[in-house]
Amino acid sequence: MKLKKLAALIPLLYALPAAAIEPFIVQDIRVEGIQRTEAGTVFSYLPVKVGDTLNDAQAASAIRALFGTGFFKDVRLEVEQGVLVVLVSERPAIVSVEINGVKDFPKDQLRDNMKYAGLAIGRILDKSALEKAEQELKRQYVARGKYAVSVQTVVKELDNNRVAVTFNVVEGEVSKIRRINIVGNSAFDEGELLDKMKLSTTDWLSWLTKNDQYSKQKLSADLETLRSYYLDAGYLEFAIDSTQVSISPDKKDIFITINVNEGAKYKVSDVKIVAPEKVLPQAEMAALISVKPGDTFSRKELTESQRKIGERLGDEGYAFANVSANPDVDKEKHEVGFNFTADPGQRVYIRQVNVSGNEKTRDEVIRREFRQMEDAWFATSKIKKSKQKVDRLGFFSEVNIETAQVQSAPDQLDLNVNVKEKSTGSFTIGGGVNSGEGLVFTAGVSQANLFGSGNQISTQLNTSKINQVASVSYTNPYYTDEGVSRGFDIYKRNVDATRTTAVSQYRSSTKGAGMRFGVPINDDENTHYGLTFEKTTLGLTANSPQRYTNYVNTYGPSSASVLGTLGWSRDTRDSVIFTTQGTTQHLTLEVALPVASLRYYKLSYQHQWFYPIAENTTLLLNGEFGYGSGYGNRRDLPFFKNFYAGGTGSVRGYDAGALGPVDNRNLAMGGNRKVVGNAEVLIPMPGMGKDTSLRLSAFLDAGAIYGPLGQGVTAGAAGLRYSTGLALTWLSPAGPLKISYGLPLNKQPGDKLQKFQFTLGSMF
């Protein structure tokens, strides 16, 4: 028997050519040493078949192929009387993967990450995959700022060629930024520049913002912020020469050094305009350019000017307009001139609008909100307005609009509208707490998109110790094709003011039914008309003020009215839920028509202005005014129609409804004139990322209620009252939660205060 051993490892095949064999014809092939692997699997990878002539090159190729499968840790070839014997030693299989010492991450999440690295139960143990999994585990911790993390890998051999893999993790502490140094600055002091950066050393909010934890992405964003700050301030040649990030030996402290080169401050020397007059007259283009000769250079103003020109051309159908501002830099004088050039390109129109993602909502509900029509010229502003109006429907969690070039038609575009529907129907039963109203029980069934038609129907029930409301409402927002809406309301409202210590005591029960219409003026403005029949029954107690008693004695405990309402509204907010800019205005006139017993009118006006004062920071200014009076044989506004102020929604820090004239028990009676003003700075909750459901604010409130005195009524808390404080709003799954802490600024004797106020749940 002739036996010749071949080299077992690939490197030896190349290094030891003397281990050659005489070529022979393979009469048979036998595999030895396999336990889990099927012999057929070995044959499928083996590049040698029965009848082949085996030589040195083929033997080396066979060993490489079997090693390449990753199934074996040793491979040998032997020849025995014309039979090729393949001897293999299998790699062990992984039967378990354990991770110990982990607190920051769910273990299942880490195991899933290891699968992508090639390490999982049932797979063959691969040393490279084991090292890759260990590095991936460390990377997860480093991404969270734990640079001191240590990972020890233990591989325990078991019977039947199996192994158990264990990762022992010591997480360590989060590495914190100890110092940020900016070198080379002279125009701005270091403190001012550090205030522009999100990364910072540890402060009292770091536990929430995590801004004292270094990450490469955060640093890159901060460097771009510094670059923009300098370029907007005129430093055209500003550059960041280098950044160094070092860590202390104990890996607890991180030190960042940023080397900057400010360069000189530049002014704008000249602005020239080149534009096709037939498309965009130069005078109109010049009006869109905010960069003026003599101004300090600002990249922000330059970019904004280009954007405005591009959008203006886009409104004329030039969807691919190219607007450039070529600089002419004079480094000696530190001046820069700009040559604005507008190349409109080809004018295009919209071939068709394609709607997708709406499984429940009808196409027409979306299309009727569109201002960009098919077969019309492309218009940037109309597309933006279309997206805004579809978003305002409230039926979708996402609205995306994209343009697509029509093949073989360079002057045509398709508009692809993709929406992601959200639930628009709800059945609610639950409760809430209001610091002024007490425990509130709520229940209701509503559908804002009835059968996908866009129509709305709702039934609501609300009960508290003061107000109880039951109502049914139906609205068709497109009663006509022109966008006229029609709605119906039926309601019952009970007021029991005897159960509060803030307002004068009386009871009332009101039933009403009405119809209303909304007529659009334009995309942002609407007029409203309504007619409602209402009947009110009053009840007094021994503690009711004399004015209430006189009213009931004169006009009786029951009254009927036909209420005509006329209103106007304007809404330009960028978002209904998380507003950052825009305005809202509401003007409403309610008149009790002279066809029933009541005779009065009420005029109300509210104006809100949202203005972005910094990134994610918005200033809200709110003003409310109200005036009411009787007419004909009734000179005064009925007391149960009075205006009230104080508490959440008006002047925080004062008891709900407590401002204005009072009775002889120092209980607020409301009045026929109301004025409220609020200034509020709104910011998202730090550390919440893109989640906008939680918002903080600092506020300054002012308000007053005025009314006729006499008949036991005194001035009480008349005159303006001011307060300041902090507030938090959370759009929770149970309804909006509003919390405020207000400090009265000009408290007077007898004023009723309530510094901490909150509302949980939908109040209606």
Side-chain angles (χ1 to χ4, degrees), residues 691-709:
D691 187 356
T692 59
S693 63
L694 199 60
R695 217 171 186 186
L696 294 174
S697 65
F699 62 83
L700 176 65
D701 295 342
I705 295 292
Y706 302 95
L709 305 180

Side-chain angles (χ1 to χ4, degrees), residues 436-437 500-504 602 622-626 639 641-662 666-678 701-707 715-723 750-754 757:
E437 296 279 327
T500 177
T501 59
V503 300
S504 296
K602 290 179 69 174
N622 174 68
E624 299 178 41
F625 306 91
F639 70 85
K641 295 292 184 177
N642 275 350
F643 295 103
Y644 288 88
T648 302
S650 58
V651 185
R652 288 158 283 194
Y654 292 88
D655 207 348
L659 300 185
V662 298
N666 198 35
L667 298 178
M669 299 187 63
N672 68 328
R673 288 166 289 163
K674 171 185 176 180
V675 57
V676 171
N678 312 95
D701 295 342
I705 295 292
Y706 302 95
L720 284 171
R721 294 293 188 271
Y722 305 93
S723 68
D751 286 356
K752 295 184 178 180
L753 308 182
Q754 193 177 65
Q757 296 171 322

Side-chain angles (χ1 to χ4, degrees), residues 433-438 502 645-659 678 697 699 701 723-730 736-744 752-760:
V433 180
N434 181 296
S435 53
E437 296 279 327
T648 302
S650 58
V651 185
R652 288 158 283 194
Y654 292 88
D655 207 348
L659 300 185
N678 312 95
S697 65
F699 62 83
D701 295 342
S723 68
T724 185
L726 301 174
L728 180 146
T729 302
W730 177 35
L737 169 64
K738 298 181 180 180
I739 301 174
S740 66
Y741 185 82
L743 293 174
K752 295 184 178 180
L753 308 182
Q754 193 177 65
K755 296 181 180 180
F756 178 77
Q757 296 171 322
F758 65 93
T759 300
L760 173 62

Side-chain angles (χ1 to χ4, degrees), residues 25-38:
I25 298 175
V26 178
Q27 299 177 7
D28 195 9
I29 301 175
R30 187 170 72 247
V31 180
E32 296 182 359
I34 56 176
Q35 300 180 27
R36 296 182 309 275
T37 310
E38 296 290 336

Side-chain angles (χ1 to χ4, degrees), residues 358-653:
N358 54 319
E359 298 180 0
K360 300 177 183 178
T361 307
R362 302 173 189 173
D363 269 18
E364 65 182 46
V365 175
I366 299 173
R367 290 181 180 275
R368 68 192 184 192
E369 301 297 331
F370 259 69
R371 299 303 176 258
Q372 173 66 68
M373 299 292 102
E374 295 177 336
D375 297 326
W377 293 117
F378 174 95
T380 303
S381 61
K382 291 181 178 180
I383 294 175
K384 285 185 176 181
K385 177 60 69 173
S386 300
K387 182 180 184 302
Q388 185 183 50
K389 289 186 70 65
V390 174
D391 186 57
R392 284 183 182 177
L393 289 173
F395 304 159
F396 313 108
S397 59
E398 293 181 15
V399 179
N400 296 305
I401 299 180
E402 296 179 350
T403 56
Q405 183 76 49
V406 177
Q407 295 295 331
S408 71
D411 63 339
Q412 298 179 33
L413 291 175
D414 283 344
L415 211 58
N416 297 324
V417 185
N418 181 262
V419 298
K420 184 177 180 181
E421 291 184 314
K422 67 179 182 181
S423 176
T424 56
S426 64
F427 171 76
T428 60
I429 181 170
V433 180
N434 181 296
S435 53
E437 296 279 327
L439 180 63
V440 180
F441 173 81
T442 63
V445 178
S446 65
Q447 176 53 260
N449 188 14
L450 188 63
F451 306 123
S453 65
N455 298 342
Q456 304 167 18
I457 187 170
S458 65
T459 62
Q460 300 290 348
L461 175 66
N462 178 23
T463 178
S464 72
K465 69 181 182 180
I466 302 174
N467 295 290
Q468 300 92 41
V469 179
S471 67
V472 178
S473 298
Y474 173 81
T475 303
N476 180 353
Y478 275 83
Y479 175 61
T480 69
D481 292 339
E482 291 76 19
V484 175
S485 65
R486 183 179 70 172
F488 301 94
D489 302 290
I490 301 175
Y491 59 89
K492 180 179 180 181
R493 180 171 61 249
N494 293 333
V495 176
D496 187 358
T498 65
R499 305 184 65 181
T500 177
T501 59
V503 300
S504 296
Q505 294 191 4
Y506 75 95
R507 297 187 183 92
S508 70
S509 177
T510 302
K511 299 176 182 178
M515 178 186 296
R516 49 190 159 76
F517 292 89
V519 181
I521 300 174
N522 53 47
D523 288 335
D524 297 324
E525 294 183 68
N526 290 273
T527 56
H528 311 278
Y529 310 90
L531 196 65
T532 301
F533 176 79
E534 193 174 85
K535 184 176 181 180
T536 300
T537 301
L538 300 173
L540 303 181
T541 70
N543 293 322
S544 298
Q546 185 62 41
R547 173 168 290 177
Y548 293 1
T549 302
N550 293 344
Y551 180 92
V552 172
N553 290 338
T554 303
Y555 301 113
S558 297
S559 61
S561 60
V562 177
L563 304 179
T565 56
L566 175 64
W568 168 84
S569 64
R570 187 171 188 267
D571 189 347
T572 62
R573 291 175 294 175
D574 58 345
S575 172
V576 177
I577 297 176
F578 189 80
T579 308
T580 60
Q581 62 182 355
T583 63
T584 63
Q585 297 180 71
H586 300 278
L587 177 64
T588 303
L589 174 64
E590 178 184 304
V591 180
L593 301 178
V595 295
S597 57
L598 283 185
R599 304 280 195 278
Y600 77 90
Y601 63 90
K602 290 179 69 174
L603 183 66
S604 301
Y605 176 71
Q606 181 183 23
H607 190 156
Q608 289 186 325
W609 181 57
F610 296 84
Y611 181 76
I613 56 178
E615 184 180 4
N616 296 325
T617 303
T618 301
L619 171 66
L620 164 61
L621 298 179
N622 174 68
E624 299 178 41
F625 306 91
Y627 180 81
S629 181
Y631 69 92
N633 62 346
R634 299 196 176 192
R635 297 298 181 183
D636 295 329
L637 182 70
F639 70 85
F640 51 90
K641 295 292 184 177
N642 275 350
F643 295 103
Y644 288 88
T648 302
S650 58
V651 185
R652 288 158 283 194

